[in-house]
Amino acid sequence: MSQAAKKNILCDAIVSPDATEFYGRLIISRIRYADDSPVTIQKFLGVVFKSPTSEQGIGFDSDPWISILPDVNYDTIDEKTIAVRAALSYENSHTFDTQEKLIFEINGNLTDRPDFYTASVELFVDELPSGTVIVTCPVAPDTAFTSFKQTVHLKPSGQAIDLTAPLGANTSFTVPCGTYAVTVDELTTPEQTVVATAQVSPDAVIVELDKKTPIIVTYVVVNKYAALDITIEVLSPPVDKEELHVKVVEDSTNKILAEFFSASNHTNKVRRIPSSGTVDVNAEITLNNIKYFASKSQDLSNNLIQVSVAQADITEEKVDSSGFVSLPVEVDAAVDSDQAISVHLRSIDKDVVYTQAIKAQTGTQTFTVPVAPTKYTVQATNIIDKGTVYVVNVATTLEVKGDGSAKLQLETQEGANLKVHGFPDFLSFGGLSNLADLSGPAFVAARASSVFKYAGDDGAGDPDKYLTDDPATVKTIQLANNVKNQLGDHQQVLPIMISYTCNFSGGGDVLEHLRNEQGLTHSFANLILSLKLAKEHGKQNVPAGYIVNPDFLGECQKKPIDIGYEMP
């Protein structure tokens, strides 16, 4: 049993029985006051405890599930131990039931000192142990920053804390106790036309209980710039689906101030360029031996300036194709199809592009225009024919030589059939349910096509026992049927159970799992039970779908365990 230092809050804290040297859960329950009266929070519950070092961070869950926003931070105590402080924020005020469980998921070894970790748990109502940080900012270094605020970042081992302080003032902030690295943002106008370089002292602080810690911000230099919003308007075919190469060039020096590629109907932000002088904004692409080019001249000032490139600004010019060569495309199709493969070549310097639609049929076809000798990156789209995906295999680069010897080879490979029994004939989605409300209003509102839930009692195959019933399976089917009935219009809603016959998702010794004959037997039997219940209770053409052993293959690959491994 653990007792908090403030408010005399009691709780029970245990390390989960299934904890390993790699992963475990710290479970907090029976939250109450010493006189057994209930604990009520208005905003958040503060939780402090010690934990083994967890390189992958600390996860959080609750049982029963409720919407809780965890903010978890920690400080390093030694190479094996960290001090965790968490603020668990609830949507509304909340009174704890003694049956509720708060679960911290830790990627570390809780089994070596379980009593040490559980005894360290402390709880606080709407607060965490804290001190005061006083941020001192000078007056605004430029009139452009009138009424602006300065952001100072305190970075513990977890999520950063941002302090936003007004200029020309000392401002106090209540901050959880701990050690923090301190950094500061530069001060800038929204469009970065005026920028002040900031410095902060000190660069690290220790915030102690009920003590004041000073942080001082100073400004070193103020710079003024021009800003451009360059918009490539909606363009017409054939350049509407291509990216234009855009350069911002300073007239007086011919220096490239900014360079990027932009799609049609897109605005590009160019910031921190000189606040005086003139620039040319050039946009171009050479597509299938036609050069499309636009140029805009723009005077600069200490402001945000809008520049637009529209279809009317673009000129077209045929390029000299002397010395260009024919490019044959050899297709090896798994199945001949009337679908077209979109082939896209882009020169290494990215200024020259060729596109061609190639029929997905075995044989040789040729680009309709001669191709400039140079090196290209190659892209070819996969196709879908009669519900089956065909993957297009092609080399990612191609060198077209002046002697015409180059050829592009495409191969189609039959992939997945997208028409899976139980799913609709369109791209659909679903969600994981906690089964709290079997009417499924959220699934109905989203017009979901599937409902997911972990099978069994523990959601991990229940390797310690034979289940005689599986309410999770039955309720998930009920939920899917209820959602289907409310949606109407003959839409199927598929219940999908996630089942483990061998649970590798929680880490631990993979080989130990594979050698656990009794555990495997229990889990296989529990999967069979779930399948029987699905067949018994399912009312749709496909009673249920199953995802079996998530993470199994990945963990085998990491071990590694290959297909030749012999089960004991």
Side-chain angles (χ1 to χ4, degrees):
M1 182 176 292
S2 168
Q3 179 173 337
K6 288 188 176 183
K7 304 293 186 183
N8 206 29
I9 302 174
L10 303 182
C11 70
D12 290 352
I14 64 168
V15 171
S16 60
D18 61 351
T20 69
E21 61 180 304
F22 305 104
Y23 171 84
R25 294 172 293 161
L26 183 66
I27 303 173
I28 299 170
S29 62
R30 294 191 67 220
I31 298 173
R32 66 214 185 272
Y33 286 118
D35 60 1
D36 284 336
S37 61
V39 174
T40 299
I41 61 168
Q42 298 303 315
K43 295 181 179 179
F44 72 92
L45 179 72
V47 184
V48 173
F49 62 91
K50 293 180 176 63
S51 163
T53 301
S54 181
E55 293 183 0
Q56 299 179 27
I58 295 176
F60 174 78
D61 199 0
S62 62
D63 182 17
W65 184 89
I66 185 174
S67 179
I68 301 173
L69 181 63
D71 180 9
V72 181
N73 296 285
Y74 54 88
D75 291 315
T76 299
I77 297 176
D78 55 45
E79 63 180 11
K80 292 178 57 179
T81 315
I82 57 176
V84 180
R85 57 185 182 277
L88 307 180
S89 297
Y90 290 68
E91 293 181 346
N92 302 296
S93 62
H94 181 76
T95 299
F96 288 92
D97 186 308
T98 55
Q99 301 302 311
E100 290 181 58
K101 296 178 181 178
L102 305 177
I103 304 167
F104 289 90
E105 300 165 337
I106 297 166
N107 291 288
N109 186 8
L110 285 166
T111 63
D112 63 342
R113 297 183 291 171
D115 293 341
F116 170 74
Y117 298 126
T118 56
S120 69
V121 176
E122 298 179 295
L123 305 180
F124 303 86
V125 173
D126 294 313
E127 64 179 350
L128 279 168
S130 60
T132 300
V133 170
I134 302 174
V135 178
T136 300
C137 292
V139 297
D142 189 274
T143 55
F145 298 123
T146 302
S147 77
F148 274 48
K149 292 185 178 182
Q150 174 68 56
T151 299
V152 176
H153 305 285
L154 303 186
K155 183 70 170 68
S157 300
Q159 185 175 347
I161 298 173
D162 294 338
L163 309 179
T164 303
L167 304 183
N170 297 330
T171 308
S172 297
F173 299 89
T174 299
V175 174
C177 294
T179 301
Y180 299 88
V182 184
T183 58
V184 64
D185 286 346
E186 60 187 5
L187 195 61
T188 176
T189 55
E191 305 304 340
Q192 301 179 42
T193 53
V194 184
V195 179
T197 302
Q199 292 183 344
V200 66
S201 178
D203 59 7
V205 295
I206 299 175
V207 179
E208 298 179 280
L209 183 64
D210 298 330
K211 291 187 177 180
K212 296 181 179 181
T213 303
I215 293 176
I216 298 174
V217 176
T218 56
Y219 298 110
V220 181
V221 64
V222 177
N223 293 304
K224 297 191 176 184
Y225 301 100
L228 300 179
D229 274 359
I230 301 174
T231 300
I232 307 298
E233 302 289 354
V234 177
L235 304 179
S236 303
V239 294
D240 58 320
K241 295 181 180 179
E242 301 296 332
E243 289 187 330
L244 274 61
H245 190 177
V246 181
K247 296 179 182 178
V248 180
V249 182
E250 189 174 36
D251 278 3
S252 61
T253 63
N254 211 31
K255 178 182 177 182
I256 297 175
L257 301 179
E259 183 176 9
F260 53 88
F261 288 84
S262 176
S264 173
N265 193 27
H266 183 73
T267 297
N268 308 271
K269 298 181 183 298
V270 176
R271 299 295 183 259
R272 304 194 188 196
I273 61 176
S275 58
S276 61
T278 303
V279 294
D280 289 327
V281 178
N282 301 324
E284 68 176 279
I285 184 175
T286 299
L287 175 62
N288 291 343
N289 295 337
I290 297 178
K291 182 176 182 179
Y292 300 85
F293 180 80
S295 183
K296 291 287 193 75
S297 179
Q298 179 64 56
D299 293 332
L300 300 179
S301 62
N302 182 216
N303 293 291
L304 172 64
I305 302 165
Q306 304 289 336
V307 179
S308 173
V309 177
Q311 184 67 42
D313 300 316
I314 296 177
T315 61
E316 299 179 20
E317 179 185 353
K318 257 190 171 183
V319 301
D320 181 3
S321 59
S322 301
F324 291 10
V325 297
S326 176
L327 180 60
V329 182
E330 295 182 353
V331 181
D332 181 8
V335 176
D336 282 354
S337 168
D338 291 331
Q339 299 294 321
I341 302 168
S342 176
V343 178
H344 191 277
L345 307 182
R346 186 157 207 151
S347 63
I348 298 299
D349 64 12
K350 299 183 179 180
D351 281 340
V352 177
V353 173
Y354 291 93
T355 61
Q356 183 70 45
I358 300 294
K359 291 182 179 179
Q361 297 175 359
T362 298
T364 300
Q365 303 166 52
T366 305
F367 270 65
T368 55
V369 297
V371 176
T374 189
K375 292 182 179 180
Y376 295 90
T377 58
V378 183
Q379 291 180 322
T381 58
N382 298 333
I383 60 173
I384 299 175
D385 190 19
K386 300 180 179 65
T388 297
V389 175
Y390 291 89
V391 177
V392 178
N393 297 318
V394 63
T396 57
T397 60
L398 174 71
E399 183 176 1
V400 177
K401 298 182 179 180
D403 61 6
S405 61
K407 58 185 176 182
L408 183 65
Q409 294 178 317
L410 302 179
E411 176 191 50
T412 67
Q413 179 180 354
E414 186 172 349
N417 187 337
L418 299 180
K419 294 183 178 180
V420 180
H421 291 301
F423 287 95
D425 290 335
F426 53 82
L427 183 62
S428 63
F429 69 95
L432 187 69
S433 174
N434 61 4
L435 302 180
D437 185 348
L438 295 186
S439 67
F443 289 93
V444 174
R447 299 192 63 81
S449 297
S450 52
V451 176
F452 294 77
K453 179 63 180 175
Y454 288 89
D457 287 349
D458 69 0
D462 296 283
D464 58 334
K465 59 189 173 185
Y466 291 113
L467 297 177
T468 58
D469 193 10
D470 186 353
T473 297
V474 176
K475 289 182 179 180
T476 303
I477 292 172
Q478 292 173 351
L479 171 59
N481 287 335
N482 290 338
V483 174
K484 173 186 179 298
N485 293 336
Q486 292 177 76
L487 288 175
D489 61 25
H490 307 292
Q491 177 176 323
Q492 299 295 302
V493 179
L494 184 67
I496 300 177
M497 305 310 300
I498 305 166
S499 181
Y500 289 93
T501 61
C502 190
N503 177 20
F504 286 1
S505 294
D509 189 332
V510 171
L511 294 176
E512 181 181 340
H513 283 301
L514 291 176
R515 296 189 187 108
N516 184 355
E517 182 177 346
Q518 186 178 45
L520 294 173
T521 304
H522 286 152
S523 294
F524 267 103
N526 295 334
L527 170 60
I528 294 170
L529 172 65
S530 178
L531 291 166
K532 286 183 176 179
L533 290 171
K535 189 173 182 180
E536 177 183 343
H537 292 273
K539 297 181 180 179
Q540 304 184 63
N541 293 334
V542 179
Y546 278 79
I547 298 174
V548 180
N549 294 342
D551 301 319
F552 182 91
L553 294 178
E555 290 299 317
C556 285
Q557 289 172 341
K558 285 194 291 186
K559 186 65 185 172
I561 299 172
D562 61 24
I563 196 171
Y565 177 79
E566 293 184 7
M567 293 293 290

mmCIF file of all heavy atoms in Angstrom, residues 437-474:
data_model
loop_
_atom_site.group_PDB
_atom_site.id
_atom_site.type_symbol
_atom_site.label_atom_id
_atom_site.label_comp_id
_atom_site.label_asym_id
_atom_site.label_seq_id
_atom_site.Cartn_x
_atom_site.Cartn_y
_atom_site.Cartn_z
ATOM 1 N N ASP A 437 -20.490 0.753 -24.984
ATOM 2 C CA ASP A 437 -21.830 1.078 -25.481
ATOM 3 C C ASP A 437 -22.075 0.238 -26.725
ATOM 4 O O ASP A 437 -21.545 0.530 -27.799
ATOM 5 C CB ASP A 437 -21.934 2.570 -25.798
ATOM 6 C CG ASP A 437 -23.352 2.984 -26.197
ATOM 7 O OD1 ASP A 437 -24.187 2.082 -26.455
ATOM 8 O OD2 ASP A 437 -23.614 4.198 -26.281
ATOM 9 N N LEU A 438 -22.897 -0.805 -26.597
ATOM 10 C CA LEU A 438 -23.105 -1.736 -27.714
ATOM 11 C C LEU A 438 -24.015 -1.178 -28.794
ATOM 12 O O LEU A 438 -24.217 -1.822 -29.825
ATOM 13 C CB LEU A 438 -23.673 -3.062 -27.189
ATOM 14 C CG LEU A 438 -22.748 -3.856 -26.262
ATOM 15 C CD1 LEU A 438 -23.348 -5.216 -25.929
ATOM 16 C CD2 LEU A 438 -21.371 -4.039 -26.881
ATOM 17 N N SER A 439 -24.566 0.036 -28.568
ATOM 18 C CA SER A 439 -25.337 0.662 -29.659
ATOM 19 C C SER A 439 -24.403 1.294 -30.689
ATOM 20 O O SER A 439 -24.801 1.542 -31.823
ATOM 21 C CB SER A 439 -26.303 1.713 -29.102
ATOM 22 O OG SER A 439 -25.591 2.819 -28.554
ATOM 23 N N GLY A 440 -23.154 1.589 -30.291
ATOM 24 C CA GLY A 440 -22.126 2.049 -31.224
ATOM 25 C C GLY A 440 -22.396 3.365 -31.913
ATOM 26 O O GLY A 440 -22.218 3.468 -33.126
ATOM 27 N N PRO A 441 -22.763 4.422 -31.183
ATOM 28 C CA PRO A 441 -23.077 5.694 -31.856
ATOM 29 C C PRO A 441 -21.903 6.275 -32.643
ATOM 30 O O PRO A 441 -22.093 6.843 -33.712
ATOM 31 C CB PRO A 441 -23.494 6.620 -30.699
ATOM 32 C CG PRO A 441 -22.891 6.003 -29.468
ATOM 33 C CD PRO A 441 -22.914 4.526 -29.709
ATOM 34 N N ALA A 442 -20.684 6.123 -32.117
ATOM 35 C CA ALA A 442 -19.521 6.668 -32.834
ATOM 36 C C ALA A 442 -19.281 5.914 -34.134
ATOM 37 O O ALA A 442 -18.934 6.513 -35.166
ATOM 38 C CB ALA A 442 -18.284 6.596 -31.949
ATOM 39 N N PHE A 443 -19.472 4.600 -34.124
ATOM 40 C CA PHE A 443 -19.289 3.805 -35.340
ATOM 41 C C PHE A 443 -20.364 4.147 -36.372
ATOM 42 O O PHE A 443 -20.089 4.194 -37.572
ATOM 43 C CB PHE A 443 -19.342 2.313 -35.008
ATOM 44 C CG PHE A 443 -18.147 1.818 -34.257
ATOM 45 C CD1 PHE A 443 -18.150 1.767 -32.868
ATOM 46 C CD2 PHE A 443 -17.000 1.407 -34.921
ATOM 47 C CE1 PHE A 443 -17.046 1.318 -32.169
ATOM 48 C CE2 PHE A 443 -15.887 0.954 -34.235
ATOM 49 C CZ PHE A 443 -15.914 0.917 -32.851
ATOM 50 N N VAL A 444 -21.588 4.397 -35.886
ATOM 51 C CA VAL A 444 -22.670 4.776 -36.804
ATOM 52 C C VAL A 444 -22.384 6.136 -37.423
ATOM 53 O O VAL A 444 -22.514 6.334 -38.637
ATOM 54 C CB VAL A 444 -24.027 4.785 -36.066
ATOM 55 C CG1 VAL A 444 -25.129 5.314 -36.984
ATOM 56 C CG2 VAL A 444 -24.377 3.382 -35.578
ATOM 57 N N ALA A 445 -21.975 7.092 -36.594
ATOM 58 C CA ALA A 445 -21.702 8.443 -37.098
ATOM 59 C C ALA A 445 -20.578 8.431 -38.127
ATOM 60 O O ALA A 445 -20.604 9.201 -39.101
ATOM 61 C CB ALA A 445 -21.347 9.366 -35.932
ATOM 62 N N ALA A 446 -19.596 7.546 -37.932
ATOM 63 C CA ALA A 446 -18.460 7.480 -38.861
ATOM 64 C C ALA A 446 -18.729 6.559 -40.044
ATOM 65 O O ALA A 446 -17.896 6.466 -40.941
ATOM 66 C CB ALA A 446 -17.222 6.993 -38.114
ATOM 67 N N ARG A 447 -19.873 5.881 -40.034
ATOM 68 C CA ARG A 447 -20.215 4.896 -41.068
ATOM 69 C C ARG A 447 -19.081 3.876 -41.219
ATOM 70 O O ARG A 447 -18.597 3.585 -42.319
ATOM 71 C CB ARG A 447 -20.520 5.568 -42.417
ATOM 72 C CG ARG A 447 -21.698 6.531 -42.383
ATOM 73 C CD ARG A 447 -22.154 6.938 -43.772
ATOM 74 N NE ARG A 447 -22.647 5.793 -44.522
ATOM 75 C CZ ARG A 447 -23.871 5.276 -44.408
ATOM 76 N NH1 ARG A 447 -24.731 5.790 -43.545
ATOM 77 N NH2 ARG A 447 -24.223 4.238 -45.144
ATOM 78 N N ALA A 448 -18.678 3.325 -40.079
ATOM 79 C CA ALA A 448 -17.601 2.334 -40.069
ATOM 80 C C ALA A 448 -18.065 1.042 -40.715
ATOM 81 O O ALA A 448 -19.241 0.688 -40.680
ATOM 82 C CB ALA A 448 -17.146 2.077 -38.634
ATOM 83 N N SER A 449 -17.123 0.322 -41.288
ATOM 84 C CA SER A 449 -17.419 -0.960 -41.926
ATOM 85 C C SER A 449 -16.872 -2.143 -41.142
ATOM 86 O O SER A 449 -17.065 -3.289 -41.546
ATOM 87 C CB SER A 449 -16.841 -0.993 -43.345
ATOM 88 O OG SER A 449 -17.451 -0.011 -44.152
ATOM 89 N N SER A 450 -16.194 -1.882 -40.023
ATOM 90 C CA SER A 450 -15.653 -2.967 -39.213
ATOM 91 C C SER A 450 -15.477 -2.488 -37.777
ATOM 92 O O SER A 450 -15.321 -1.295 -37.508
ATOM 93 C CB SER A 450 -14.322 -3.470 -39.782
ATOM 94 O OG SER A 450 -13.424 -2.400 -39.998
ATOM 95 N N VAL A 451 -15.526 -3.459 -36.864
ATOM 96 C CA VAL A 451 -15.357 -3.203 -35.435
ATOM 97 C C VAL A 451 -14.321 -4.187 -34.913
ATOM 98 O O VAL A 451 -14.452 -5.399 -35.125
ATOM 99 C CB VAL A 451 -16.685 -3.383 -34.674
ATOM 100 C CG1 VAL A 451 -16.459 -3.202 -33.183
ATOM 101 C CG2 VAL A 451 -17.737 -2.418 -35.181
ATOM 102 N N PHE A 452 -13.284 -3.680 -34.244
ATOM 103 C CA PHE A 452 -12.193 -4.513 -33.756
ATOM 104 C C PHE A 452 -12.268 -4.653 -32.230
ATOM 105 O O PHE A 452 -12.644 -3.723 -31.526
ATOM 106 C CB PHE A 452 -10.839 -3.905 -34.116
ATOM 107 C CG PHE A 452 -10.544 -3.858 -35.585
ATOM 108 C CD1 PHE A 452 -11.131 -2.911 -36.412
ATOM 109 C CD2 PHE A 452 -9.657 -4.770 -36.154
ATOM 110 C CE1 PHE A 452 -10.850 -2.860 -37.769
ATOM 111 C CE2 PHE A 452 -9.367 -4.729 -37.506
ATOM 112 C CZ PHE A 452 -9.969 -3.777 -38.314
ATOM 113 N N LYS A 453 -11.875 -5.833 -31.743
ATOM 114 C CA LYS A 453 -11.776 -6.055 -30.300
ATOM 115 C C LYS A 453 -10.847 -7.231 -30.038
ATOM 116 O O LYS A 453 -10.825 -8.203 -30.790
ATOM 117 C CB LYS A 453 -13.164 -6.343 -29.699
ATOM 118 C CG LYS A 453 -13.153 -6.613 -28.200
ATOM 119 C CD LYS A 453 -12.664 -5.420 -27.394
ATOM 120 C CE LYS A 453 -12.653 -5.712 -25.899
ATOM 121 N NZ LYS A 453 -12.073 -4.587 -25.129
ATOM 122 N N TYR A 454 -10.073 -7.149 -28.953
ATOM 123 C CA TYR A 454 -9.231 -8.269 -28.541
ATOM 124 C C TYR A 454 -10.107 -9.363 -27.923
ATOM 125 O O TYR A 454 -10.958 -9.087 -27.073
ATOM 126 C CB TYR A 454 -8.175 -7.804 -27.538
ATOM 127 C CG TYR A 454 -7.090 -6.971 -28.162
ATOM 128 C CD1 TYR A 454 -7.229 -5.597 -28.267
ATOM 129 C CD2 TYR A 454 -5.940 -7.574 -28.664
ATOM 130 C CE1 TYR A 454 -6.237 -4.823 -28.869
ATOM 131 C CE2 TYR A 454 -4.939 -6.816 -29.255
ATOM 132 C CZ TYR A 454 -5.105 -5.446 -29.349
ATOM 133 O OH TYR A 454 -4.123 -4.687 -29.948
ATOM 134 N N ALA A 455 -9.899 -10.607 -28.345
ATOM 135 C CA ALA A 455 -10.692 -11.730 -27.875
ATOM 136 C C ALA A 455 -10.265 -12.146 -26.468
ATOM 137 O O ALA A 455 -9.138 -11.892 -26.036
ATOM 138 C CB ALA A 455 -10.561 -12.910 -28.836
ATOM 139 N N GLY A 456 -11.182 -12.820 -25.761
ATOM 140 C CA GLY A 456 -10.863 -13.388 -24.460
ATOM 141 C C GLY A 456 -10.953 -12.411 -23.315
ATOM 142 O O GLY A 456 -11.452 -11.286 -23.460
ATOM 143 N N ASP A 457 -10.447 -12.865 -22.152
ATOM 144 C CA ASP A 457 -10.493 -12.032 -20.952
ATOM 145 C C ASP A 457 -9.349 -11.032 -20.916
ATOM 146 O O ASP A 457 -9.552 -9.840 -20.662
ATOM 147 C CB ASP A 457 -10.444 -12.909 -19.695
ATOM 148 C CG ASP A 457 -11.748 -13.656 -19.460
ATOM 149 O OD1 ASP A 457 -12.744 -13.336 -20.139
ATOM 150 O OD2 ASP A 457 -11.764 -14.565 -18.608
ATOM 151 N N ASP A 458 -8.115 -11.512 -21.152
ATOM 152 C CA ASP A 458 -6.966 -10.614 -21.045
ATOM 153 C C ASP A 458 -6.544 -10.041 -22.394
ATOM 154 O O ASP A 458 -5.630 -9.227 -22.468
ATOM 155 C CB ASP A 458 -5.785 -11.322 -20.373
ATOM 156 C CG ASP A 458 -5.160 -12.424 -21.228
ATOM 157 O OD1 ASP A 458 -5.641 -12.660 -22.355
ATOM 158 O OD2 ASP A 458 -4.187 -13.055 -20.763
ATOM 159 N N GLY A 459 -7.208 -10.442 -23.484
ATOM 160 C CA GLY A 459 -6.880 -9.916 -24.807
ATOM 161 C C GLY A 459 -5.571 -10.426 -25.361
ATOM 162 O O GLY A 459 -5.124 -9.968 -26.407
ATOM 163 N N ALA A 460 -4.953 -11.385 -24.698
ATOM 164 C CA ALA A 460 -3.646 -11.885 -25.124
ATOM 165 C C ALA A 460 -3.631 -13.402 -25.229
ATOM 166 O O ALA A 460 -2.589 -14.032 -25.116
ATOM 167 C CB ALA A 460 -2.573 -11.421 -24.147
ATOM 168 N N GLY A 461 -4.806 -14.012 -25.432
ATOM 169 C CA GLY A 461 -4.891 -15.457 -25.609
ATOM 170 C C GLY A 461 -5.196 -16.217 -24.348
ATOM 171 O O GLY A 461 -5.434 -17.430 -24.404
ATOM 172 N N ASP A 462 -5.186 -15.546 -23.181
ATOM 173 C CA ASP A 462 -5.446 -16.205 -21.893
ATOM 174 C C ASP A 462 -4.681 -17.524 -21.770
ATOM 175 O O ASP A 462 -5.270 -18.598 -21.607
ATOM 176 C CB ASP A 462 -6.952 -16.439 -21.725
ATOM 177 C CG ASP A 462 -7.729 -15.144 -21.656
ATOM 178 O OD1 ASP A 462 -7.707 -14.498 -20.590
ATOM 179 O OD2 ASP A 462 -8.333 -14.756 -22.677
ATOM 180 N N PRO A 463 -3.333 -17.465 -21.848
ATOM 181 C CA PRO A 463 -2.559 -18.718 -21.846
ATOM 182 C C PRO A 463 -2.584 -19.473 -20.522
ATOM 183 O O PRO A 463 -2.118 -20.605 -20.456
ATOM 184 C CB PRO A 463 -1.143 -18.236 -22.183
ATOM 185 C CG PRO A 463 -1.101 -16.820 -21.696
ATOM 186 C CD PRO A 463 -2.473 -16.278 -21.932
ATOM 187 N N ASP A 464 -3.148 -18.857 -19.475
ATOM 188 C CA ASP A 464 -3.144 -19.500 -18.161
ATOM 189 C C ASP A 464 -4.387 -20.335 -17.889
ATOM 190 O O ASP A 464 -4.500 -20.953 -16.829
ATOM 191 C CB ASP A 464 -3.005 -18.435 -17.067
ATOM 192 C CG ASP A 464 -4.122 -17.395 -17.119
ATOM 193 O OD1 ASP A 464 -4.678 -17.180 -18.210
ATOM 194 O OD2 ASP A 464 -4.429 -16.795 -16.069
ATOM 195 N N LYS A 465 -5.346 -20.360 -18.856
ATOM 196 C CA LYS A 465 -6.594 -21.072 -18.549
ATOM 197 C C LYS A 465 -7.369 -21.375 -19.822
ATOM 198 O O LYS A 465 -7.152 -20.766 -20.877
ATOM 199 C CB LYS A 465 -7.464 -20.210 -17.626
ATOM 200 C CG LYS A 465 -7.831 -18.850 -18.231
ATOM 201 C CD LYS A 465 -8.489 -17.948 -17.204
ATOM 202 C CE LYS A 465 -8.697 -16.542 -17.778
ATOM 203 N NZ LYS A 465 -9.232 -15.605 -16.779
ATOM 204 N N TYR A 466 -8.289 -22.353 -19.678
ATOM 205 C CA TYR A 466 -9.275 -22.617 -20.716
ATOM 206 C C TYR A 466 -10.498 -21.752 -20.425
ATOM 207 O O TYR A 466 -11.071 -21.817 -19.328
ATOM 208 C CB TYR A 466 -9.707 -24.088 -20.719
ATOM 209 C CG TYR A 466 -8.642 -25.062 -21.177
ATOM 210 C CD1 TYR A 466 -8.098 -25.974 -20.282
ATOM 211 C CD2 TYR A 466 -8.205 -25.074 -22.493
ATOM 212 C CE1 TYR A 466 -7.127 -26.882 -20.687
ATOM 213 C CE2 TYR A 466 -7.233 -25.980 -22.915
ATOM 214 C CZ TYR A 466 -6.694 -26.875 -22.006
ATOM 215 O OH TYR A 466 -5.741 -27.766 -22.411
ATOM 216 N N LEU A 467 -10.888 -20.930 -21.376
ATOM 217 C CA LEU A 467 -12.091 -20.132 -21.201
ATOM 218 C C LEU A 467 -13.330 -20.984 -21.468
ATOM 219 O O LEU A 467 -13.341 -21.820 -22.377
ATOM 220 C CB LEU A 467 -12.085 -18.942 -22.157
ATOM 221 C CG LEU A 467 -10.973 -17.900 -21.978
ATOM 222 C CD1 LEU A 467 -11.074 -16.820 -23.043
ATOM 223 C CD2 LEU A 467 -11.028 -17.277 -20.590
ATOM 224 N N THR A 468 -14.358 -20.753 -20.674
ATOM 225 C CA THR A 468 -15.634 -21.431 -20.915
ATOM 226 C C THR A 468 -16.605 -20.538 -21.669
ATOM 227 O O THR A 468 -17.614 -21.011 -22.198
ATOM 228 C CB THR A 468 -16.267 -21.866 -19.584
ATOM 229 O OG1 THR A 468 -16.452 -20.704 -18.752
ATOM 230 C CG2 THR A 468 -15.356 -22.866 -18.872
ATOM 231 N N ASP A 469 -16.301 -19.258 -21.720
ATOM 232 C CA ASP A 469 -17.112 -18.308 -22.476
ATOM 233 C C ASP A 469 -16.203 -17.149 -22.887
ATOM 234 O O ASP A 469 -15.134 -16.945 -22.297
ATOM 235 C CB ASP A 469 -18.283 -17.805 -21.631
ATOM 236 C CG ASP A 469 -19.333 -17.070 -22.462
ATOM 237 O OD1 ASP A 469 -19.243 -17.120 -23.719
ATOM 238 O OD2 ASP A 469 -20.230 -16.435 -21.868
ATOM 239 N N ASP A 470 -16.630 -16.413 -23.896
ATOM 240 C CA ASP A 470 -15.855 -15.264 -24.366
ATOM 241 C C ASP A 470 -16.805 -14.111 -24.654
ATOM 242 O O ASP A 470 -17.231 -13.892 -25.784
ATOM 243 C CB ASP A 470 -15.059 -15.632 -25.617
ATOM 244 C CG ASP A 470 -14.112 -14.512 -26.057
ATOM 245 O OD1 ASP A 470 -14.187 -13.412 -25.471
ATOM 246 O OD2 ASP A 470 -13.308 -14.741 -26.976
ATOM 247 N N PRO A 471 -17.176 -13.365 -23.616
ATOM 248 C CA PRO A 471 -18.106 -12.241 -23.820
ATOM 249 C C PRO A 471 -17.595 -11.210 -24.816
ATOM 250 O O PRO A 471 -18.393 -10.564 -25.487
ATOM 251 C CB PRO A 471 -18.240 -11.640 -22.416
ATOM 252 C CG PRO A 471 -17.865 -12.753 -21.482
ATOM 253 C CD PRO A 471 -16.821 -13.543 -22.202
ATOM 254 N N ALA A 472 -16.272 -11.037 -24.909
ATOM 255 C CA ALA A 472 -15.737 -10.041 -25.846
ATOM 256 C C ALA A 472 -16.140 -10.377 -27.275
ATOM 257 O O ALA A 472 -16.523 -9.494 -28.054
ATOM 258 C CB ALA A 472 -14.219 -9.966 -25.724
ATOM 259 N N THR A 473 -16.066 -11.660 -27.643
ATOM 260 C CA THR A 473 -16.452 -12.068 -28.994
ATOM 261 C C THR A 473 -17.940 -11.852 -29.218
ATOM 262 O O THR A 473 -18.357 -11.278 -30.243
ATOM 263 C CB THR A 473 -16.082 -13.546 -29.223
ATOM 264 O OG1 THR A 473 -14.667 -13.698 -29.144
ATOM 265 C CG2 THR A 473 -16.563 -14.024 -30.580
ATOM 266 N N VAL A 474 -18.750 -12.290 -28.271
ATOM 267 C CA VAL A 474 -20.207 -12.185 -28.424
ATOM 268 C C VAL A 474 -20.639 -10.724 -28.495
ATOM 269 O O VAL A 474 -21.446 -10.332 -29.355
ATOM 270 C CB VAL A 474 -20.916 -12.909 -27.259
ATOM 271 C CG1 VAL A 474 -22.429 -12.715 -27.361
ATOM 272 C CG2 VAL A 474 -20.572 -14.394 -27.275
#
